[in-house]
Amino acid sequence: MRVTWLSTRTSTAALLPVLLTAACVTTPSVDLNGFGRAATGLQTDVGATFTEANRLARSVEVDRFVRSGTIGLTERRFPPAVPVDVAARWRTALGDLARYGNLLATLTGSGRGGMQTDAFRQLGTQLNSGSTDAGFDPGISAGFAALAGALVDLKAQSSARDILRRTDPDVRRLLVAMADAVGNSDAEGLRGTVASNWTAALSAYQRTYAVAATEKSDSRQRQIVADYLAGVDKRDAQLAAIAGLRSSLLGLADAHTAAAAGSRRPFDEVLKDVNDRVTRTEATYRAMEKAGERR
């Protein structure tokens, strides 16, 4: 099954030329460093999640194609769950948020800097130049547009706290929209697509078991049941990993809001959560891949 649930923005311009020049960087604030690193970690997480969703979708489509008896073999018979262009837009979106976070890290908690404010404005201008075609998810597209406007409108010499408070509603809106696109439950978004594909994938075991049971093939029945239950475990692990991606997006939104309210080191916990979860997700998918090779 192919997903139709999300999309974001096209690539922005090249990296900001004033981002980390010796003339404009102040001592990084340990309180603000984590946002950019967490967004970069989520890029890795999204890449692994989309790859596995597409792997599952392809196996389902192969089974469907073979059973259909169709003779013509073409690539379009096997659409991915997450099209290449959509995956690229998600990577770009998280890259844009990482650049925003990297700019935050050039500010001190109370320091001011006109060059840094200019860099935020430049990023806002780049985001504004992105496409807003109708194919984009409305919530994500609107979130980027609002964040771009907030950055462009920043006053000269804004402090870190000023910037956080000004941008927080829009950063939060964007991250929540991305979390919603991942899916609030296993019936929505990417989670819904993956759950539906697993239902189709597991039905293959049910069909083969019915044949084995009719033939009273005890050993074959036992093997099919074992494979079926292993599939159920993999389904649950994959859906849990995708639900975790949603939780991390919401956690990053909460951390940004906490920073805007003046909390100290608000990104440390969410950064640790993202890093730990990326490690767990990659381990889960490696285990699933090895299990598939043994079958």
Side-chain angles (χ1 to χ4, degrees):
M1 178 183 294
R2 179 169 177 162
V3 69
T4 58
W5 42 274
L6 54 91
S7 186
T8 59
R9 308 186 66 81
T10 53
S11 298
T12 56
L15 288 174
L16 306 179
V18 298
L19 178 58
L20 292 175
T21 60
C24 71
V25 175
T26 61
T27 303
S29 168
V30 295
D31 298 332
L32 301 176
N33 280 334
F35 187 94
R37 292 205 298 268
T40 299
L42 286 172
Q43 278 186 307
T44 301
D45 195 2
V46 160
T49 297
F50 288 178
T51 296
E52 291 305 315
N54 285 343
R55 192 192 306 272
L56 172 63
R58 175 163 289 183
S59 70
V60 169
E61 293 301 332
V62 167
D63 180 65
R64 183 177 291 126
F65 176 75
V66 171
R67 287 189 295 111
S68 73
T70 303
I71 297 176
L73 181 62
T74 63
E75 185 177 354
R76 66 182 178 82
R77 300 281 187 183
F78 312 99
V82 184
V84 173
D85 59 331
V86 173
R89 286 167 185 160
W90 267 74
R91 289 192 298 271
T92 296
L94 289 165
D96 290 338
L97 286 173
R99 287 205 296 276
Y100 165 78
N102 291 340
L103 282 173
L104 286 178
T106 69
L107 303 171
T108 61
S110 59
R112 296 171 179 270
M115 293 292 287
Q116 286 92 331
T117 305
D118 288 345
F120 278 105
R121 288 172 168 173
Q122 185 175 350
L123 177 58
T125 299
Q126 292 173 2
L127 293 178
N128 263 333
S129 69
S131 173
T132 55
D133 293 342
F136 293 146
D137 176 89
I140 296 175
S141 183
F144 266 108
L147 176 59
L151 292 173
V152 169
D153 291 342
L154 287 177
K155 296 180 180 179
Q157 304 295 323
S158 294
S159 69
R161 183 73 181 278
D162 293 336
I163 292 171
L164 284 164
R165 293 175 71 175
R166 176 68 182 86
T167 60
D168 182 62
D170 302 316
V171 170
R172 185 172 190 84
R173 177 183 182 184
L174 173 57
L175 287 167
V176 169
M178 295 176 80
D180 287 345
V182 171
N184 296 320
S185 72
D186 290 345
E188 303 174 34
L190 177 61
R191 291 168 67 180
T193 297
V194 170
S196 178
N197 280 334
W198 270 113
T199 297
L202 292 172
S203 69
Y205 295 112
Q206 295 166 331
R207 291 193 303 272
T208 56
Y209 182 83
V211 173
T214 300
E215 298 172 349
K216 300 187 183 303
S217 175
D218 183 81
S219 61
R220 178 61 177 153
Q221 287 173 255
R222 292 179 183 277
Q223 183 59 56
I224 294 170
V225 170
D227 290 343
Y228 174 78
L229 294 177
V232 169
D233 290 342
K234 288 192 288 185
R235 176 200 65 192
D236 293 346
Q238 186 169 12
L239 290 174
I242 298 171
L245 170 60
R246 177 178 182 273
S247 294
S248 289
L249 289 164
L250 294 176
L252 190 55
D254 289 342
H256 192 280
T257 297
S263 294
R264 298 291 295 171
R265 304 181 66 82
F267 299 119
D268 284 3
E269 185 173 343
V270 70
L271 177 60
K272 182 179 184 304
D273 174 71
V274 168
N275 288 339
D276 289 348
R277 212 175 54 69
V278 166
T279 299
R280 291 195 303 271
T281 297
E282 291 178 335
T284 295
Y285 289 145
R286 283 197 299 272
M288 288 171 60
E289 185 174 0
K290 289 180 180 178
E293 291 172 353
R294 290 195 295 268
R295 287 185 54 213

